[in-house]
Amino acid sequence: MGTGKRGLISAAVTVVCAATVLVAAPGMAFAAPTPTPTPSASASSTPVTNAELEVIREKIDRLYHEAVAATDAYNAAEEKAKQQSAEIVDLANKIVQGQARLDDLKKRAGAAARAQYRSGGLPDEAQLMLSDDPQEFLDGAGRVLQGERATKALIQEMTRTQQDLKQYAKDASAQWKKLEANRKAKATAQKKIKKQIAAAEKLESELEKDEKKRLAELERQAAYEAQTAWLDTGILDDVQGKATAAGKKAVAYATAQIGKPYEWGAEGPKTYDCSGLTSQAWLAAGDVIPRTSQEQWKQLKSVDVKDMLPGDLIIYFDDASHVAMYIGDGAIVHAPRPGRTVTIAGAGSMPILGVVRPGA
């Protein structure tokens, strides 16, 4: 191995944190992986040991995990920006309608003022004494009183309309500020996503072809061991429930996407990220659920693992940064991470935070 690669691995050893497994086996994640091949030396480079490759695997997993977490932040900012844009449009429509109403009220108020001016402004007693027909005057006075009440109500409505317009303008200004903040949040998340993915890809690119094969085997080994340990707890012994009609539709949609590439921020139909897949699957089943894994975790009903049904969503990692759909028999379908495709894996191949159920 050249000094550059050896230095890179040494750096990875120094900075690596606790391992996180964000990988999926290319198929059902229950078959034991083949034995990890031993490193082979070449005349021109120093072989990378399995221990060193394990450090690299952990480093790559951490980078991709951070990219996926940033993707959730990006998706959340995107959803908020959409909502704020819609609210701004709604407020703009209210302002236009309110201004038209105010213009109409002003015209009516002006007409009332002109009519009062034409009456001469004499006191009612004087107009009664000068009238040739007192009854006609009294009838007219009643109409004037009604007119005065209507004018008062008109002025009150004008005042309310002006106050509404001021509030609409204030609300629109606040939404613009929030929209700008979320645009910045999106840009920050996007920058972090690209940075973490680029770092992971660079680390992988430093490996030789044989080393990449061994690295992939280590990933499968880690996923298999995690799944086996999860199953060995007996956690699925009492899981016997069958999918609901909606759950079956969601599973059918999600599994039909197997083989399609992961792309951060994507909701299909050609590419998906993890929560893009689950949200679209449940949309196909007739249920609108939150767009991000963190909001799915917060807003959907939590269920015990023993009550888990196909179609339920399993949330992973302490930060709820990944989500997959349970399809039964201890398996999930999910969009793992950049560079991978939608696939089936073991439900216990990653650290489980909890299970939630759409449509509950």
Side-chain angles (χ1 to χ4, degrees):
M1 176 188 297
T3 57
K5 188 193 301 182
R6 180 65 66 182
L8 185 63
I9 293 173
S10 297
V13 174
T14 302
V15 300
V16 68
C17 299
T20 56
V21 180
L22 192 59
V23 296
M28 295 298 288
F30 313 119
T34 57
T36 304
T38 56
S40 58
S42 66
S44 60
S45 63
T46 304
V48 177
T49 66
N50 282 350
E52 289 172 327
L53 277 177
E54 179 62 22
V55 169
I56 293 174
R57 184 191 69 78
E58 292 174 352
K59 173 71 173 178
I60 290 172
D61 280 349
R62 183 175 66 81
L63 289 169
Y64 278 126
H65 176 82
E66 291 173 356
V68 170
T71 296
D72 217 43
Y74 175 91
N75 290 335
E78 172 72 10
E79 287 299 295
K80 289 179 181 178
K82 288 179 181 178
Q83 294 173 3
Q84 285 147 7
S85 294
E87 288 175 6
I88 289 170
V89 170
D90 182 57
L91 287 167
N93 289 332
K94 287 181 178 179
I95 289 172
V96 170
Q97 294 169 5
Q99 188 61 56
R101 177 62 175 162
L102 184 60
D103 291 343
D104 178 63
L105 291 171
K106 285 181 177 179
K107 288 179 181 178
R108 291 168 57 189
R114 289 190 295 273
Q116 186 176 11
Y117 175 78
R118 286 193 297 270
S119 71
L122 291 173
D124 291 343
E125 295 85 350
Q127 292 189 47
L128 175 61
M129 293 177 64
L130 295 172
S131 175
D132 294 332
D133 187 342
Q135 185 59 48
E136 181 180 356
F137 169 78
L138 291 174
D139 292 341
R143 289 193 295 272
V144 169
L145 181 59
Q146 291 176 353
E148 288 176 349
R149 289 174 179 170
T151 301
K152 184 178 180 180
L154 188 66
I155 293 172
Q156 291 174 340
E157 187 175 356
M158 284 177 61
T159 301
R160 287 195 301 270
T161 302
Q162 288 173 324
Q163 290 173 342
D164 288 344
L165 284 171
K166 288 181 180 179
Q167 187 61 49
Y168 293 153
K170 183 178 179 181
D171 291 346
S173 177
Q175 290 301 328
W176 273 112
K177 290 179 181 179
K178 291 180 180 179
L179 180 61
E180 183 60 25
N182 278 304
R183 283 174 176 167
K184 291 180 180 179
K186 279 175 57 181
T188 299
Q190 183 176 18
K191 184 177 180 181
K192 183 173 183 179
I193 292 165
K194 291 182 176 180
K195 180 181 178 181
Q196 300 305 92
I197 292 175
E201 289 176 344
K202 183 177 186 300
L203 196 55
E204 288 179 297
S205 71
E206 295 287 337
L207 299 175
E208 304 292 344
K209 183 178 180 180
D210 175 67
E211 293 164 350
K212 290 178 181 178
K213 289 175 62 177
R214 288 164 50 210
L215 178 64
E217 192 57 46
L218 286 173
E219 291 176 349
R220 286 191 288 270
Q221 179 75 31
Y224 170 77
E225 290 176 356
Q227 173 73 0
T228 300
W230 184 65
L231 293 174
D232 285 348
T233 64
I235 199 164
L236 294 184
D237 290 350
D238 297 326
V239 178
Q240 299 176 348
K242 295 182 179 180
T244 62
K248 289 178 181 179
K249 290 180 181 179
V251 169
Y253 180 96
T255 53
Q257 312 313 309
I258 289 174
K260 294 184 178 180
Y262 178 102
E263 181 182 4
W264 58 269
E267 300 176 82
K270 295 182 179 180
T271 59
Y272 295 88
D273 63 19
C274 65
S275 56
L277 177 65
T278 54
S279 61
Q280 289 300 305
W282 271 99
L283 181 62
D287 191 2
V288 177
I289 67 173
R291 168 65 177 87
T292 69
S293 59
Q294 292 177 346
E295 288 304 311
Q296 289 171 6
W297 172 241
K298 290 177 184 178
Q299 297 185 34
L300 300 180
K301 180 183 177 181
S302 295
V303 296
D304 291 335
V305 172
K306 65 181 178 61
D307 298 322
M308 190 164 55
L309 302 175
D312 287 348
L313 306 182
I314 303 180
I315 309 297
Y316 292 94
F317 304 105
D318 290 340
D319 56 0
S321 59
H322 190 65
V323 59
M325 180 177 293
Y326 185 64
I327 60 175
D329 296 326
I332 56 171
V333 58
H334 70 149
R337 50 98 158 160
R340 298 297 172 83
T341 61
V342 176
T343 190
I344 292 175
S349 58
M350 296 169 285
I352 295 176
L353 178 61
V355 180
V356 293
R357 177 169 298 159

